[in-house]
Amino acid sequence: MTEGCAVVSVLGMLEEREAAARVRVEGLREEVARLAGVLEAVEIELDRRVIAREELVEALAASAVGAAAVTERPRPGPGRKQRSRSHPCRARWCRSGGTGCG
């Protein structure tokens, strides 16, 4: 009868280990599900940040193009005087050509 008790004892031990493994598997499945939710939220945040950066780059590029168009000055052509950079008033509207205001 000793062999029968040993088999039952081993069988009981194996069943306990199996039950513990099942508990661990279930816990890991719950953790995986939780992490999948966290991962999805972080991926959405990443997508929003990428879109925000791309929008900013586009806006800055458009702004730079607009600013360049506004600040570009036409070069003096035939019949147009170039104002002196040392003109006293430095006003864009002054037509004295750098010889004095008035």
Side-chain angles (χ1 to χ4, degrees), residues 76-89:
R80 291 185 70 186
K81 292 182 183 178
Q82 182 173 3
R83 282 183 288 202
S84 168
R85 295 210 185 268
S86 62
H87 185 265
C89 72

Side-chain angles (χ1 to χ4, degrees), residues 2-101:
T2 321
E3 288 180 17
C5 288
V7 170
V8 171
S9 177
V10 171
L11 186 59
M13 183 179 68
L14 290 175
E15 288 172 347
E16 287 176 12
R17 289 182 179 178
E18 180 182 343
R22 286 184 193 281
V23 169
R24 178 127 170 89
V25 164
E26 186 57 35
L28 290 173
R29 283 187 178 140
E30 290 172 1
E31 183 72 6
V32 166
R34 185 188 70 77
L35 289 174
V38 170
L39 177 60
E40 182 179 4
V42 173
E43 285 176 335
I44 290 169
E45 179 183 349
L46 174 61
D47 289 344
R48 278 191 265 174
R49 292 183 187 273
V50 167
I51 290 168
R53 181 184 47 80
E54 289 171 349
E55 292 281 333
L56 177 61
V57 167
E58 287 176 15
L60 290 174
S63 176
V65 167
V70 168
T71 59
E72 282 185 17
R73 295 182 187 167
R75 299 200 182 268
R80 291 185 70 186
K81 292 182 183 178
Q82 182 173 3
R83 282 183 288 202
S84 168
R85 295 210 185 268
S86 62
H87 185 265
C89 72
R90 306 193 88 162
R92 292 180 130 180
W93 50 265
C94 182
R95 299 189 186 271
S96 68
T99 59
C101 292

